[in-house]
Amino acid sequence: MPDTFNRKDLLGIEDLSVEEIVKILGSAASFREVAERDIKKVPTLRGKTIINLFYEPSTRTRTSFEIAAKRMSADAINIAVASSSIKKGETLKDTALNLEAMSPDCIVVRHGSSGTPQMLARYLKCSVINAGDGLHEHPSQALLDMLTVSNRLGGIEKLDGLRILIVGDVAHSRVARSNILGFSKMGAHVTVCGPPTMIPVGIEHLGCDVNHDMTAAVKDADVVMMLRLQLERQAAGLFPSPREYAKLYGLDSLKLKRAKKDVIILHPGPINRGLEISPEVADGPWSLILEQVANGLAVRMALFYLLLGGVKDGISNANKSLNPDGVRLLNLR
Amino acid sequence: MNSKSVMDSKAIDRALARIAHEIIERNKGTENLVLLGIPTRGSHLAKRLQAKIDMIEGVSLPTGAVDATLYRDDLGMKETQSLKEMEIPISIEGRVVILVDDVLYTGRTIRAAMNALMDFGRPLSIQLAVLVDRGHRELPIKADYVGKNIPTAPDEDVKLHLEEVDDANEVVIQITKEGLCEKESK
């Protein structure tokens, strides 16, 4: 295993190697220990500044990144779009360059348009972490899901050969995309399930199977990942009624009876109780939903540590964004 | 690369046996002691000391590992370091912590490890046991128990090999080309 993590940004699971994923999950396992201490803080990223730039609403992810930054002793600043100059019509690029002029070490960005973090990463000298871009990827979520499963099963190598079932609106889910890519890379076999309107044509090219019959699909699964029904995105009417959806694709105790006894149930949250997952399943012993939240913190601490905690290409990360030519160079591009 | 062996398996064993006796003598027994090694080789040495003390006194001391990586002062100067095991087996509040490392050099690792320990509680005292003291301290830190003092030049590197990790038990001195850059690399 390489001892280094030479990467400026974390933009997606797609361009991560298996070794890098193992490295991130291994470090995250160490950071879980910090959360169990009385003093839940380490001085590692003292003096670093991390900006959370969220163009979409988020409680879990933004709070998780913020607490992770603070536990590493970095200064975390949250920018909620509703109360910022973005409302005055500033472009994304201008916002980012202005933020960079204040020399942060990392910008965590969530945006409704796919590709936003990738674009920012090209403009900015500081690290960029993708906290969800459009319908594309949500890498830290996939990493915490992989960590949750590997913790439960007792090792990262246990992901190899596992059968993962992802159920719901795969077409509108960046969580699904990152998880398909991530679990497949680790040797697991992923099946996606949902009404045909919610399964994009050609999804098999990501390396997964499609099954529209949930009752049948749930039988073989070691892990069932329920996606949130994104009611705010579903004006188009992708299913006849919520009740029908819940009956066919909601995970309830009836469907769970057909599953393996030790099946693991995941949900990225926030859950719609009674819709995609029934309360007795969400709160039952198979559900690792709250474990996912705890692991999310550890994964994000690990990401900050690996991206900001060392020298990249011979330049100290601390000095990188202090380069006085930084902004000028960017404008020339 | 030039290298010569300065301690063999027997010498390491004898040094550890003496340190075990010294720890018991200095602390007038084993009460309230906890052994914490600095990974990787320090934590193996801590386990060996635990076995030695058990042989002498019939007491198995709580033994663990304290990873100093997150507290280092040189994180921004080299590539991201892998995290090692952190295992505090018992509350260190009010206990005497014997910190165990393989080679004492600049003292910076020990500083970081002590800071890490303080985040877990307030020990009564911290004592330092090392197998090799090679000099060249950059901080005011001194070992309480030393297996062997080995005077070295800065362009030399002192490495401990333990069969738990390296299939051999010996201390070797190597001449490195990088010299000063190799300080305390682990």
Side-chain angles (χ1 to χ4, degrees):
Chain A
M1 191 167 86
D3 208 41
T4 59
F5 190 86
N6 212 349
R7 199 172 258 284
K8 170 177 157 296
D9 312 297
L10 194 275
L11 302 175
I13 299 291
E14 189 169 14
D15 57 344
L16 286 181
S17 67
V18 172
E19 290 73 26
E20 285 174 308
I21 293 174
V22 170
K23 179 95 187 170
I24 295 168
L25 298 185
S27 306
S30 299
F31 281 113
R32 283 216 48 156
E33 180 269 322
V34 176
E36 289 157 16
R37 302 183 190 174
D38 284 344
I39 300 176
K40 298 176 181 49
K41 204 176 179 82
V42 290
T44 317
L45 297 182
R46 234 165 43 231
K48 307 260 187 214
T49 305
I50 292 166
I51 296 181
N52 284 325
L53 180 60
F54 276 62
Y55 285 81
E56 284 188 335
S58 164
T59 310
R60 209 173 331 269
T61 308
R62 189 184 49 80
T63 312
S64 181
F65 272 112
E66 182 180 356
I67 295 178
K70 289 181 170 165
R71 290 209 172 148
M72 301 293 287
S73 296
D75 297 303
I77 290 104
N78 292 317
I79 299 181
V81 165
S83 59
S84 71
S85 285
I86 296 146
K87 281 278 174 228
K88 299 178 188 167
E90 190 174 50
T91 65
L92 173 69
K93 183 180 169 187
D94 282 330
T95 305
L97 290 176
N98 276 281
L99 290 176
E100 168 130 273
M102 300 182 211
S103 14
D105 299 280
C106 179
I107 294 183
V108 179
V109 65
R110 166 171 288 190
H111 198 283
S113 300
S114 305
T116 303
Q118 288 75 3
M119 188 190 93
L120 288 184
R122 282 198 302 278
Y123 286 135
L124 302 179
K125 291 178 81 74
C126 69
S127 293
V128 174
I129 295 179
N130 180 1
D133 63 324
L135 306 180
H136 179 222
E137 278 224 45
H138 189 352
S140 62
Q141 177 72 41
L143 290 165
L144 75 88
D145 288 336
M146 289 188 267
L147 180 66
T148 305
V149 175
S150 75
N151 273 358
R152 165 56 65 103
L153 299 179
I156 294 165
E157 66 285 351
K158 297 277 169 62
L159 297 180
D160 193 14
L162 224 53
R163 301 190 80 87
I164 317 284
L165 178 65
I166 303 180
V167 185
D169 188 0
V170 175
H172 292 94
S173 176
R174 53 197 176 208
V175 174
R177 226 161 304 261
S178 288
N179 267 309
I180 293 169
L181 293 165
F183 277 105
S184 310
K185 275 188 194 198
M186 304 312 289
H189 183 91
V190 182
T191 304
V192 297
C193 178
T197 47
M198 290 180 168
I199 305 291
V201 175
I203 187 87
E204 299 87 347
H205 294 302
L206 290 182
C208 59
D209 285 340
V210 178
N211 189 341
H212 294 298
D213 181 357
M214 182 170 172
T215 318
V218 84
K219 258 194 308 201
D220 301 325
D222 299 296
V223 178
V224 178
M225 184 184 299
M226 300 306 298
L227 299 175
R228 186 173 68 91
L229 205 52
Q230 304 186 60
L231 295 168
E232 76 274 13
R233 289 188 216 261
Q234 245 112 54
L238 297 172
F239 52 89
S241 76
R243 272 184 64 190
E244 183 187 308
Y245 182 86
K247 188 161 185 296
L248 290 174
Y249 294 105
L251 188 59
D252 49 25
S253 39
L254 206 65
K255 291 197 194 70
L256 200 59
K257 271 192 196 133
R258 310 181 75 97
K260 293 185 180 173
K261 287 232 167 357
D262 53 353
V263 67
I264 293 172
I265 293 168
L266 303 178
H267 191 301
I271 61 179
N272 295 309
R273 280 176 185 267
L275 197 47
E276 74 264 0
I277 189 163
S278 68
E280 73 270 18
V281 175
D283 304 330
W286 320 270
S287 158
L288 297 185
I289 295 174
L290 295 176
E291 186 75 2
Q292 286 175 278
V293 179
N295 283 329
L297 205 50
V299 159
R300 286 157 187 140
M301 287 173 83
L303 289 177
F304 285 141
Y305 175 64
L306 293 170
L307 291 174
L308 307 178
V311 179
K312 306 276 182 239
D313 301 324
I315 313 163
S316 163
N317 217 308
N319 302 326
K320 200 172 60 180
S321 50
L322 293 177
N323 174 3
D325 290 330
V327 174
R328 191 173 55 78
L329 284 174
L330 292 168
N331 288 339
L332 289 176
R333 268 190 223 171
Chain B
M1 196 187 285
N2 256 333
S3 75
K4 72 173 188 222
S5 177
V6 285
M7 281 178 99
D8 60 11
S9 185
K10 280 233 167 68
I12 292 171
D13 199 56
R14 285 185 207 117
L16 288 174
R18 177 173 50 76
I19 290 173
H21 279 286
E22 285 176 359
I23 289 172
I24 299 162
E25 186 186 9
R26 156 98 81 111
N27 295 287
K28 301 185 174 65
T30 56
E31 204 180 330
N32 223 13
L33 296 186
V34 49
L35 293 164
L36 295 177
I38 298 176
T40 308
R41 286 166 189 78
S43 38
H44 289 296
L45 290 178
K47 283 180 198 141
R48 290 191 184 193
L49 279 175
Q50 178 193 34
K52 296 260 180 244
I53 291 171
D54 196 356
M55 256 163 50
I56 303 161
E57 292 280 296
V59 177
S60 181
L61 289 178
T63 302
V66 53
D67 178 19
T69 310
L70 294 171
Y71 295 79
R72 296 193 68 94
D73 56 11
D74 56 358
L75 285 174
M77 295 159 66
K78 47 190 185 184
E79 288 172 325
T80 313
Q81 303 293 298
S82 287
L83 300 179
K84 311 264 171 48
E85 86 248 43
M86 178 71 106
E87 193 204 333
I88 311 292
I90 192 168
S91 165
I92 60 166
E93 195 74 33
R95 285 180 192 269
V96 176
V97 174
I98 315 280
L99 204 54
V100 185
D101 202 5
D102 52 358
V103 180
L104 178 58
Y105 184 21
T106 62
R108 288 178 190 268
T109 305
I110 304 302
R111 195 282 308 164
M114 287 194 291
N115 276 77
L117 272 182
M118 297 300 180
D119 276 1
F120 284 89
R122 183 178 186 275
L124 186 66
S125 67
I126 300 177
Q127 298 170 6
L128 176 61
V130 297
L131 186 63
V132 174
D133 182 348
R134 61 167 292 195
H136 304 285
R137 213 78 74 241
E138 293 170 2
L139 295 172
I141 281 170
K142 185 170 166 292
D144 301 273
Y145 313 99
V146 179
K148 190 179 170 74
N149 282 295
I150 302 179
T152 56
D155 63 351
E156 289 171 332
D157 198 9
V158 180
K159 282 261 183 281
L160 167 66
H161 297 302
L162 288 180
E163 63 187 8
E164 290 93 328
V165 266
D166 313 290
D167 305 325
N169 287 306
E170 59 173 353
V171 175
V172 295
I173 297 185
Q174 299 168 336
I175 312 287
T176 60
K177 285 207 179 67
E178 297 87 354
L180 287 163
C181 305
E182 282 283 298
K183 269 183 196 179
E184 293 222 338
S185 62
K186 290 212 180 105

